[in-house]
Amino acid sequence: MKRAYNTSRRRGVVAVEAAITLPFLVIVMFGVWEVGRLIQVNQIVANAAREGARLAAGAYVNGTPVTDPMVKQAVRDYMRASGLPAAAYNGAQITLTCLASPMWVNPSDALPLDRFQITVVIPSGAAFDSMAWSLVTRLSSVNQMSVTVSWASCTDAKIAVSTQLPY
C-alpha cells in the first residue's frame, strides 16, 4: 500500500534553511578570500626582500658598487612589478642591517660571507589597508606585515698579490 506524501507541510523549508545558512557561508567565503590575499601579499613581500638580498649579496652590478638606496629601490621595484598598490610599496619601511663585525653600510664594503638581513615592514594605515580586497581585514587584528630575510655576502675575497718575482 502506498502512502500519500504530504508536500504542503514541507513547502518553504529549503528557502528558510538557505536564508539561515547563506549569510554564514558568505562570511566564511570572504574570510577564506582575505586569508588567501594575505598569504599572497606576504609571499610577494618576502620575494621582494629576497630580491633585494640577492642584489646586496653580489655587491657589484656591472662594475658599479651596490649601495643601500639601490637595495631599497630593488625591493620597491619588485613589489610594484608584482602588482601591489602604490601606497604599499611607497609606504614600506625597508632596512638593510649588517650582522657582521666590522659593520658596513653599503653591501659593496662587505667581506666574503658577511651576514646581513633585510627587513620589509608594511605599517598599519593606508599602506596596509590598500592591499585588502574587502572589509574583513579592516575588522581583524592584523594591522601590519613584516618580513625579514637573512643572507650572506657573496663578494670576492680582497687580497693583495705581489707582482714581484721572488729571486
Side-chain angles (χ1 to χ4, degrees):
M1 182 168 189
K2 237 179 176 185
R3 255 168 112 183
Y5 189 73
N6 188 359
T7 59
S8 63
R9 289 183 12 201
R10 303 274 305 162
R11 186 170 293 170
V13 171
V14 172
V16 171
E17 289 174 353
I20 291 172
T21 60
L22 195 59
F24 296 115
L25 288 176
V26 169
I27 290 171
V28 168
M29 289 305 295
F30 271 122
V32 169
W33 190 7
E34 278 300 318
V35 168
R37 173 66 175 169
L38 188 65
I39 291 169
Q40 176 195 21
V41 169
N42 191 16
Q43 190 64 39
I44 289 171
V45 173
N47 287 342
R50 281 194 287 272
E51 191 64 31
R54 271 189 216 100
L55 177 67
Y60 289 90
V61 175
N62 297 329
T64 304
V66 174
T67 61
D68 184 36
M70 289 172 69
V71 172
K72 292 177 181 179
Q73 189 59 44
V75 172
R76 284 191 177 90
D77 288 345
Y78 188 94
M79 289 193 294
R80 181 183 47 78
S82 296
L84 291 184
Y89 59 81
N90 287 333
Q93 299 164 355
I94 305 164
T95 56
L96 172 64
T97 308
C98 173
L99 302 176
S101 98
M103 302 291 280
W104 45 262
V105 175
N106 290 320
S108 58
D109 300 331
L111 297 174
L113 299 178
D114 275 355
R115 304 288 301 166
F116 65 92
Q117 67 184 18
I118 294 181
T119 304
V120 180
V121 177
I122 299 179
S124 62
F128 186 76
D129 290 344
S130 68
M131 296 182 296
W133 281 348
S134 70
L135 188 62
V136 176
T137 54
R138 290 181 181 89
L139 301 175
S140 71
S141 62
V142 177
N143 59 5
Q144 82 171 17
M145 182 177 295
S146 176
V147 174
T148 301
V149 175
S150 296
W151 216 265
S153 174
C154 297
T155 59
D156 293 332
K158 297 173 182 162
I159 55 173
V161 177
S162 175
T163 58
Q164 295 288 348
L165 292 174
Y167 55 94

